[in-house]
Amino acid sequence: MKALFVTFLLFFSVSSNAEGQLEKSGDILHLLLPATALGASLIVEDDYQGSWQLIKTGVVSRLVVEGLKYGIDKQRPDGSDMDSFPSGHAADTFAAATFVQQRYGWKWAIPAYIGATYVSYTRVASDQHYVEDVLAGAAIGVLSGLYFTDPYKGITVTPIAGGGNYGVAISGKF
């Protein structure tokens, strides 16, 4: 797992330095971060439970994003289409980063969250999204990761909905 994250960090530093390649570096990191999380779970775990949790996290996050894009017509800042809200790139990368945090702890999650934040930044800086688009995408990814990934060190996050009320219950031993 350590080698995968070192590769991820090296790639991140090389691609972020390329002048004029901001959007491209974000697109590549958007694919690399979930792939690194999946590879790490396949290498570290014997029973593939983590891999299955990451797949559920990613699929549900992406379904929510695509459903919202279909239902909400918001023009991108560059005027290219009406799929600005929410950011799928932010949702995908924050879902992967949250999976890493829940499954393997903050030691591994900090670089993943930095990468997810960078991807979100590239989406705004390249006029593909507004700030609120990437914040909504990040929230979708984080909630999906918290819901579908077994907690790290006994923390449980459960969404609550009913009677017109919505929220999140967090429990654990501290």
Side-chain angles (χ1 to χ4, degrees):
M1 185 163 151
K2 199 180 243 184
L4 288 172
F5 276 105
V6 168
T7 303
F8 157 73
L9 287 174
L10 287 173
F11 182 82
F12 173 68
S13 64
V14 169
S15 32
S16 66
N17 289 330
E19 188 65 34
Q21 297 291 324
L22 186 67
E23 185 177 3
K24 185 176 181 181
S25 67
D27 289 343
I28 292 170
L29 191 56
H30 162 249
L31 299 174
L32 188 62
L33 185 57
T36 302
L38 181 62
S41 69
L42 290 171
I43 290 169
V44 170
E45 299 183 29
D46 293 331
D47 63 359
Y48 303 105
Q49 182 181 18
S51 302
W52 178 239
Q53 291 173 10
L54 178 62
I55 291 167
K56 288 189 290 189
T57 295
V59 167
V60 169
S61 175
R62 183 45 80 159
L63 286 173
V64 169
V65 164
E66 294 305 323
L68 287 170
K69 282 184 180 287
Y70 180 77
I72 299 172
D73 287 332
K74 183 178 179 189
Q75 189 172 28
R76 292 185 187 270
D78 68 356
S80 63
D81 60 36
M82 301 296 284
D83 286 337
S84 187
F85 185 85
S87 169
H89 282 66
D92 295 344
T93 54
F94 273 92
T98 303
F99 166 81
V100 169
Q101 185 271 319
Q102 288 288 95
R103 200 81 183 153
Y104 306 113
W106 283 105
K107 177 181 177 184
W108 302 109
I110 290 172
Y113 278 121
I114 290 169
T117 302
Y118 175 77
V119 169
S120 297
Y121 164 75
T122 66
R123 302 306 287 166
V124 174
S126 62
D127 284 335
Q128 293 299 307
H129 290 286
Y130 296 99
V131 171
E132 60 269 20
D133 302 336
V134 296
L135 290 175
I140 291 165
V142 167
L143 288 173
S144 183
L146 289 173
Y147 185 77
F148 287 105
T149 306
D150 280 345
Y152 182 76
K153 294 189 179 180
I155 298 172
T156 303
V157 178
T158 308
I160 301 170
N165 297 313
Y166 304 94
V168 177
I170 301 172
S171 63
K173 294 181 182 178
F174 300 95

